[in-house]
Amino acid sequence: MQCICRQPKRTVSQENILLEQSRRVAALNGIRLGLKDDKDLKFLLKGSQLLKVKSSSWRKERFYKLQEDCKTIWQESKKVLRSPESQIFSIEDIRDVRSGHKTEGMEKYAKDVPEYRCFSIIFKDQRKNLDLIASSEDDANHWIAGLGKIIAHSNSMNQKQKLQHWIHTCLRKADKNKDNKMSLKELKDFLKEVNIEVDDYHAKKIFQHCDKSKTEALEDDEIEEFYKILTERKEIDNIFQMYSDPEGFMSCQNLVRFLYEMQQEEDAVVAAPALIQKYEPNERAKRGNAMTKDGFLMYLLSDEGNIFNSSHRKVYQDMTQPLSHYLVSSSHNTYLMEDQITGPSSTEAYIRALTKGCRCVELDCWDGPNSEPVIYHGYTLTSKILFSDVIKAIKNYAFQTSPYPVIISLENHCSVDQQKVMAQHMTTILQDMLLVAPVDGNKSQFPSPEQLKGKILVKGKKLSRQEDPVNGNNNLEAEDVSDEDEAAEIEDESVKTKVEQKGKSDTLKLAKELSDTVVYCKSVHFEGFEDPSHPRAFYEMSSFSESKALKLAQESGTSFIHHNIRHLSRIYPAGWRTDSSNYSPVDLWNVGCQIVALNFQTAGTEMDVYQGRFQDNGFSGYVLKPEFLRDEQTKFNPKSITEGTWGTKKKLLLKIISGQQLPKVNKSKNSIVDPKVTIEIHGVQQDNNKKQTKVIENNGFNPNWNEEFTFDIEIPALALVRFVVEDFDMSTKNDFIGQYTLPFTSLKQGYRHIHLLTKNGDPYSSSTLFVYINIQDCD
């Protein structure tokens, strides 16, 4: 039987010393965050009792406290055998802090408590919201304001500050006996903590080099020396030396040369002095209009040194073209948080999609109790939410991320009476946001995203005997229209049985009130591509399953492109995707389909590519299609590329140089990642390609690859580049570490950092790849 060794009990004086050290560390981290002596931060560091709310019968008091690293929150738990790690969550994982009753949980279970005492923590991943009640308004305000400040200040830290904060936190964690010194064993533990395996010989060599005092322990300046060795970037030092003088200064003139020669920056003469003023920490160098190695590194880690063109972070495309000329960020069955059969429905799913830039959301509407329509995936066991709650959520979050129009895609299965309730809810809740009449009398083509700013459009069925929606209505009360029932296409036995029992009808009685909310997006069945001599009304749009759309793209690519110049097309996932998996949107974008709807709740390559496409044009949710997908005379066919005005072919020369602070995949102390990088091209068939680096063993902290790759790009305007970092495993599937995807046309040339994203598309605080990019015209 194994004996458990207990730690000797600390004396009161030892406890007081440790407490004082903890306060000093917390104060130092507060200063690093720019929150010195902040009253809200001090309150959070002290902690307080809060009521955690889970249901109408589960409301329990728990203690919450900001830890001394000012990065993590400790939460009390009464669960038996709960690990210490599970009682902590990082502030980096928080997406939002909402005051009052602004989550479903608070709406349902805390209405009896004044709003000023309530707040909710919303996490970035799929974790459930944390709904909390403070004992007073002051306590709630401290938590809301304090967390808000820490998040804002953490986000505004530069990469070097983030790295310093992270390393000092890891050093503190490795200092097991809290004596502010580091033994050789603690140094080895620290290296494992930051994801690097160093053999005993090398660890001892680093330790002895730093241990100038020969005390067998590193402290103060010796720890700083260790920090400098650890964070050295030799690959950047080599670049810097090529353009700097023997004293270690890069003159403004030499910085201009570097920006021209290496970075391909056209405005180098203007940019160089501005970069020195913005990123150079050494005042002497700044006064001399020069840059040191530190300033150079800060520039390369900044937005200006990013692989993504920073001018594309704002809306730069022409937003005055007809709506059908843009790709539109669109979600499928937006209400679902998980799978298509049994998962929960939630208004939170709409909030998440809209804050990710989504501009077209889907509502499957069915009759509910008390004459209130509900939203859920028909014929399945997914939970139900009120139509009115979803409309409120859309109103509150529609334009927080982008000012451009939101399309509500209705799949309507309601009775006439409940359809009237739907129309009433949209009219009374959305008010002026709801578009109910044509814009500026435009009756021949779609208005532009610019004209529709701040407006919510409804896509749905329209009474056929009404006059067309852009020219007014007659007084018909209700009539049968063709039914569109995507839920009935689900390939699941229980669903098929329910559909058969219901005796699915091909028609549905439509209320005039609901019909009147549809102006520019009238749903119709696709009857084939139109005869030019009998053109269909521009506002008529069809929905296609992914398989039907891909067949049309394969067999009639050019016709599909012409159709999508005047009409909107919506694509949705196949019925067999009951697990909410996604299809690749690229082939459908390549034929100009605008509303290519994906399951936003499902992470993976498809969603990475999707978010990569829509981070362009200021993350507005609208991306202008290339000219050859908007030209009425176009002969472009992505499945059969011929000579044409599709843009100059390009050669992409790419060097993967190094990685920095890659996260641990397996949280066990002794697990170190073996990273490899894969570069993928997603575009037309000829351009699709994939190449990968060698595997670097046992180093996620600063792996070096120095490998070059070449890609030929036939149609640059349609291509996206995805960088994927994985932890190589010989016996099982590689573990995902991070990725970054961007349009080929948003690539910056030269030496660039790639700031990696998590599986859910959120940025890591300091995980990067360092690369060199060169783009040449093909002969």
Side-chain angles (χ1 to χ4, degrees):
M1 184 176 168
Q2 191 178 359
C3 292
I4 297 169
C5 297
R6 293 190 181 277
Q7 290 285 328
K9 197 173 179 187
R10 296 191 186 106
T11 64
V12 173
S13 63
Q14 284 174 324
E15 287 288 352
N16 287 339
I17 289 166
L18 288 173
L19 196 62
E20 186 52 41
Q21 282 178 358
S22 178
R23 283 196 194 111
R24 275 209 310 272
V25 170
L28 187 63
N29 285 323
I31 291 165
R32 283 196 184 115
L33 280 169
L35 293 172
K36 185 183 177 185
D37 297 330
D38 183 85
K39 64 179 184 353
D40 295 317
L41 184 70
K42 283 181 177 176
F43 180 88
L44 267 59
L45 286 162
K46 200 162 73 175
S48 76
Q49 294 285 353
L50 295 168
L51 277 177
K52 184 176 178 180
V53 180
K54 279 190 176 179
S55 69
S56 52
S57 58
W58 201 104
R59 191 185 283 186
K60 296 183 180 176
E61 199 169 68
R62 296 285 184 263
F63 188 76
Y64 288 82
K65 178 186 183 297
L66 177 69
Q67 303 215 137
E68 64 187 31
D69 61 6
C70 296
K71 282 178 65 175
T72 49
I73 303 278
W74 180 84
Q75 52 187 337
E76 179 190 7
S77 174
K78 299 288 169 76
K79 281 184 184 172
V80 183
L81 300 176
R82 186 164 180 180
S83 68
E85 289 78 19
S86 66
Q87 289 182 251
I88 290 168
F89 63 84
S90 172
I91 283 176
E92 283 175 8
D93 295 336
I94 298 174
R95 185 181 299 284
D96 192 14
V97 182
R98 294 186 202 149
S99 59
H101 303 144
K102 293 204 180 75
T103 63
E104 280 179 333
M106 283 301 201
E107 276 282 337
K108 281 182 190 172
Y109 312 128
K111 276 294 196 182
D112 58 314
V113 182
E115 282 209 70
Y116 56 73
R117 282 176 50 204
C118 301
F119 67 99
S120 301
I121 292 173
I122 318 299
F123 293 102
K124 287 177 180 174
D125 50 25
Q126 301 298 328
R127 246 182 303 181
K128 288 180 180 172
N129 299 337
L130 183 56
D131 292 324
L132 300 164
I133 299 170
S135 57
S136 69
E137 182 177 4
D138 278 353
D139 282 12
N141 288 341
H142 279 309
W143 277 102
I144 295 162
L147 289 172
K149 286 177 195 174
I150 296 169
I151 292 165
H153 283 74
S154 296
N155 290 342
S156 65
M157 286 168 97
N158 63 45
Q159 286 296 122
K160 195 172 180 187
Q161 288 169 324
K162 285 178 183 175
L163 174 61
Q164 192 177 25
H165 194 172
W166 176 65
I167 285 180
H168 279 282
T169 301
C170 292
L171 282 166
R172 180 86 179 147
K173 203 170 172 184
D175 183 13
K176 297 294 181 200
N177 61 359
K178 306 297 179 203
D179 62 355
N180 283 343
K181 297 176 184 177
M182 184 175 278
S183 66
L184 178 57
K185 184 183 181 307
E186 286 173 335
L187 179 133
K188 286 187 201 168
D189 286 345
F190 165 78
L191 290 171
K192 284 178 182 171
E193 185 68 38
V194 299
N195 214 355
I196 184 168
E197 182 77 74
V198 177
D199 61 42
D200 287 353
Y201 171 76
H202 280 100
K204 197 165 184 181
K205 201 173 168 188
I206 295 168
F207 187 83
Q208 287 173 341
H209 172 82
C210 297
D211 184 20
K212 307 280 196 247
S213 60
K214 308 295 180 199
T215 57
E216 296 296 313
L218 307 185
E219 51 188 313
D220 301 332
D221 292 346
E222 294 169 341
I223 290 175
E224 286 302 315
E225 174 70 15
F226 171 63
Y227 169 81
K228 278 180 188 166
I229 291 170
L230 196 66
T231 56
E232 198 173 27
R233 296 281 302 273
K234 285 181 181 168
E235 71 276 34
I236 287 178
D237 293 352
N238 294 337
I239 301 163
F240 183 77
Q241 281 166 11
M242 288 164 57
Y243 291 88
S244 62
D245 62 29
E247 289 182 24
F249 292 102
M250 185 190 285
S251 68
C252 186
Q253 193 176 354
N254 279 348
L255 179 57
V256 168
R257 218 160 47 84
F258 169 76
L259 293 174
Y260 264 131
E261 293 171 2
M262 293 296 181
Q263 307 297 79
Q264 308 288 310
E265 299 284 9
E266 292 174 9
D267 61 345
V269 175
V270 176
L275 291 174
I276 290 168
Q277 290 307 307
K278 192 170 181 182
Y279 297 113
E280 180 49 58
N282 183 309
E283 286 301 323
R284 182 183 151 215
K286 203 186 273 190
R287 282 195 300 272
N289 207 16
M291 201 173 242
T292 62
K293 192 164 66 179
D294 280 349
F296 186 63
L297 175 58
M298 285 173 77
Y299 148 64
L300 285 174
L301 282 166
S302 74
D303 214 30
E304 284 93 341
N306 200 311
I307 192 170
F308 184 79
N309 188 334
S310 59
S311 69
H312 292 189
R313 290 199 194 284
K314 57 182 186 292
V315 174
Y316 68 95
Q317 295 176 342
D318 178 7
M319 299 302 280
T320 63
Q321 305 241 355
L323 200 64
S324 53
H325 287 195
Y326 299 83
L327 305 180
V328 184
S329 179
S330 308
S331 157
H332 169 249
N333 288 354
T334 314
Y335 47 89
L336 291 177
M337 299 285 280
E338 294 168 15
D339 66 76
Q340 305 282 312
I341 305 292
T342 60
S345 304
S346 173
T347 54
E348 198 60 49
Y350 287 91
I351 295 168
R352 288 183 183 184
L354 290 166
T355 52
K356 280 187 173 182
C358 179
R359 300 287 85 194
C360 179
V361 293
E362 188 177 358
L363 285 68
D364 284 0
C365 310
W366 299 77
D367 280 357
N370 307 316
S371 300
E372 282 293 339
V374 294
I375 290 173
Y376 85 113
H377 205 192
Y379 317 110
T380 71
L381 300 173
T382 57
S383 63
K384 299 172 183 178
I385 50 177
L386 287 175
F387 178 84
S388 58
D389 286 346
V390 170
I391 299 300
K392 284 173 194 167
I394 292 171
K395 179 193 177 181
N396 291 334
Y397 289 90
F399 304 111
Q400 283 199 4
T401 300
S402 165
Y404 293 101
V406 167
I407 300 168
I408 292 177
S409 178
L410 291 182
E411 190 175 308
N412 167 29
H413 304 277
C414 291
S415 61
V416 170
D417 285 345
Q418 293 214 12
Q419 289 176 41
K420 290 176 181 177
V421 175
M422 287 166 61
Q424 187 184 1
H425 282 321
M426 287 194 286
T427 308
T428 55
I429 294 167
L430 299 176
Q431 298 179 340
D432 291 347
M433 287 182 180
L434 185 66
L435 187 83
V436 291
V439 175
D440 298 337
N442 195 338
K443 297 176 183 180
S444 58
Q445 65 174 16
F446 281 109
S448 68
E450 189 63 36
Q451 288 174 298
L452 292 167
K453 259 184 175 177
K455 289 295 180 186
I456 294 173
L457 285 66
V458 176
K459 170 202 164 288
K461 288 291 177 181
K462 193 82 183 161
L463 291 175
S464 59
R465 277 186 281 161
Q466 284 185 313
E467 292 174 51
D468 63 82
V470 296
N471 287 316
N473 305 314
N474 68 14
N475 296 317
L476 197 68
E477 284 305 313
E479 71 164 17
D480 288 342
V481 293
S482 61
D483 189 17
E484 288 184 3
D485 192 353
E486 289 169 23
E489 298 176 27
I490 294 178
E491 293 182 21
D492 178 84
E493 287 310 311
S494 63
V495 169
K496 285 178 180 174
T497 304
K498 285 181 183 175
V499 172
E500 284 164 14
Q501 286 170 352
K502 184 194 171 204
K504 186 180 172 316
S505 166
D506 289 334
T507 60
L508 169 88
K509 203 166 273 299
L510 180 66
K512 178 182 182 296
E513 290 84 347
L514 190 60
S515 176
D516 287 348
T517 63
V518 177
V519 178
Y520 285 117
C521 303
K522 178 186 175 182
S523 297
V524 297
H525 279 295
F526 181 70
E527 306 289 353
F529 295 119
E530 66 190 24
D531 175 353
S533 59
H534 295 92
R536 274 172 35 196
F538 72 90
Y539 50 78
E540 291 185 350
M541 64 176 289
S542 301
S543 291
F544 306 84
S545 69
E546 67 175 272
S547 49
K548 183 170 184 180
L550 287 167
K551 189 170 186 286
L552 288 170
Q554 180 69 42
E555 296 173 0
S556 315
T558 308
S559 298
F560 212 170
I561 289 168
H562 279 275
H563 174 84
N564 289 325
I565 292 170
R566 282 193 77 237
H567 301 278
L568 291 172
S569 289
R570 175 179 163 272
I571 320 299
Y572 59 90
W576 58 264
R577 295 186 184 275
T578 55
D579 60 349
S580 295
S581 61
N582 279 314
Y583 57 99
S584 171
V586 177
D587 284 341
L588 299 158
W589 288 335
N590 290 348
V591 289
C593 295
Q594 304 88 346
I595 301 175
V596 182
L598 260 56
N599 293 304
F600 267 51
Q601 73 273 33
T602 306
T605 305
E606 297 81 11
M607 203 61 214
D608 293 342
V609 168
Y610 207 84
Q611 291 298 84
R613 170 58 74 201
F614 285 106
Q615 71 166 316
D616 194 10
N617 201 31
F619 200 52
S620 63
Y622 285 85
V623 171
L624 186 64
K625 293 192 275 188
E627 173 63 32
F628 56 81
L629 294 182
R630 296 180 275 125
D631 176 13
E632 300 274 4
Q633 308 305 315
T634 190
K635 292 182 172 60
F636 179 74
N637 184 348
K639 298 295 178 187
S640 174
I641 306 286
T642 54
E643 288 301 313
T645 55
W646 330 131
T648 309
K649 295 177 191 175
K650 302 287 182 182
K651 189 178 285 293
L652 171 62
L653 306 168
L654 198 154
K655 186 177 186 181
I656 303 290
I657 302 170
S658 60
Q660 294 76 40
Q661 294 86 57
L662 303 179
K664 279 192 169 207
V665 177
N666 185 332
K667 295 297 179 189
S668 98
K669 185 175 128 184
N670 294 313
S671 172
I672 310 293
V673 300
D674 304 322
K676 69 162 193 167
V677 182
T678 304
I679 307 105
E680 302 169 354
I681 307 295
H682 298 261
V684 296
Q685 206 165 332
Q686 290 97 311
D687 290 345
N688 291 339
N689 205 341
K690 184 189 286 193
K691 296 180 182 181
Q692 57 192 36
T693 65
K694 61 181 178 283
V695 176
I696 304 288
E697 292 186 358
N698 289 327
N699 187 352
F701 184 75
N702 54 5
N704 266 274
W705 289 279
N706 281 311
E707 291 187 62
E708 294 183 359
F709 304 91
T710 305
F711 296 91
D712 290 325
I713 311 292
E714 187 92 18
I715 310 290
L718 297 178
L720 295 109
V721 187
R722 181 172 183 251
F723 298 86
V724 195
V725 188
E726 292 177 307
D727 179 14
F728 177 74
D729 196 313
M730 200 167 301
S731 56
T732 61
K733 189 178 174 217
N734 296 338
D735 287 318
F736 174 90
I737 293 176
Q739 71 84 32
Y740 189 76
T741 309
L742 74 166
F744 180 85
T745 51
S746 294
L747 279 171
K748 288 290 278 183
Q749 297 192 65
Y751 290 101
R752 302 286 168 180
H753 277 97
I754 298 171
H755 295 259
L756 294 172
L757 304 177
T758 67
K759 188 173 66 176
N760 292 306
D762 297 305
Y764 283 115
S765 62
S766 52
S767 299
T768 51
L769 292 177
F770 186 52
V771 299
Y772 178 75
I773 305 278
N774 183 252
I775 298 169
Q776 299 170 0
D777 291 348
C778 285
D779 298 329

